[in-house]
Amino acid sequence: MIDRLDHLVLTVASIDASIAFYVEVLGMAEISFGDGRKALSFGRQKINLHEVGRDMKLVALRPTAGSGDLCLIAAGPLADMQAHVESRGVAIEVGPVVRSGATGPIRSIYFRDPDGNLVEVSTYDV
């Protein structure tokens, strides 16, 4: 009954720091919507950003920066992605390793964003 993920929300300590990281390290695009809200766009999806302590009407029950764990699929070779991430001063915590993706085996690297969210970047070229 569900077709796809449209967007997800990350609670962050600083919207500016998160935008800088995801734009510079992962090549996402910053977008604005609604009443000055910010999001990160990539492909046909987006990540909405909620800042801790900012008065929002509808949020997770316990919005906490650093509690996210997401997996993103890279458009090109994982080795190129790893080199790019490392060139931006981001440490790879694990990988490349083989994991299980939504449609089959994936090869992944893991690192952290400024809030400590776990970011997994993967390819299906296993």
Side-chain angles (χ1 to χ4, degrees):
M1 297 193 53
I2 301 297
D3 179 52
R4 68 184 180 272
L5 179 69
D6 181 79
H7 72 276
L8 58 88
V9 178
L10 280 180
T11 301
V12 300
S14 166
I15 287 177
D16 291 339
S18 294
I19 289 171
F21 177 85
Y22 284 92
V23 168
E24 182 178 323
V25 176
L26 295 175
M28 294 181 183
E30 172 186 354
I31 60 172
S32 298
F33 67 101
D35 295 327
R37 294 188 54 201
K38 295 290 186 173
L40 299 155
S41 175
F42 59 100
R44 296 181 347 163
Q45 296 83 53
K46 67 176 182 162
I47 299 173
N48 292 347
L49 301 173
H50 288 179
E51 198 164 72
V52 172
R54 193 169 186 189
D55 187 25
M56 302 288 291
K57 300 279 187 248
L58 189 59
V59 297
L61 186 59
R62 291 179 208 75
T64 306
S67 64
D69 182 343
L70 55 142
C71 178
L72 305 166
I73 302 301
L78 189 60
D80 292 351
M81 188 72 213
Q82 182 170 351
H84 175 76
V85 168
E86 290 174 328
S87 77
R88 297 301 190 260
V90 177
I92 303 298
E93 287 193 13
V94 175
V97 293
V98 175
R99 297 290 194 241
S100 179
T103 62
I106 54 178
R107 188 174 318 279
S108 304
I109 56 173
Y110 292 83
F111 51 92
R112 305 261 174 197
D113 77 1
D115 290 298
N117 292 305
L118 184 62
V119 180
E120 177 183 2
V121 175
S122 308
T123 58
Y124 274 96
D125 65 350
V126 176

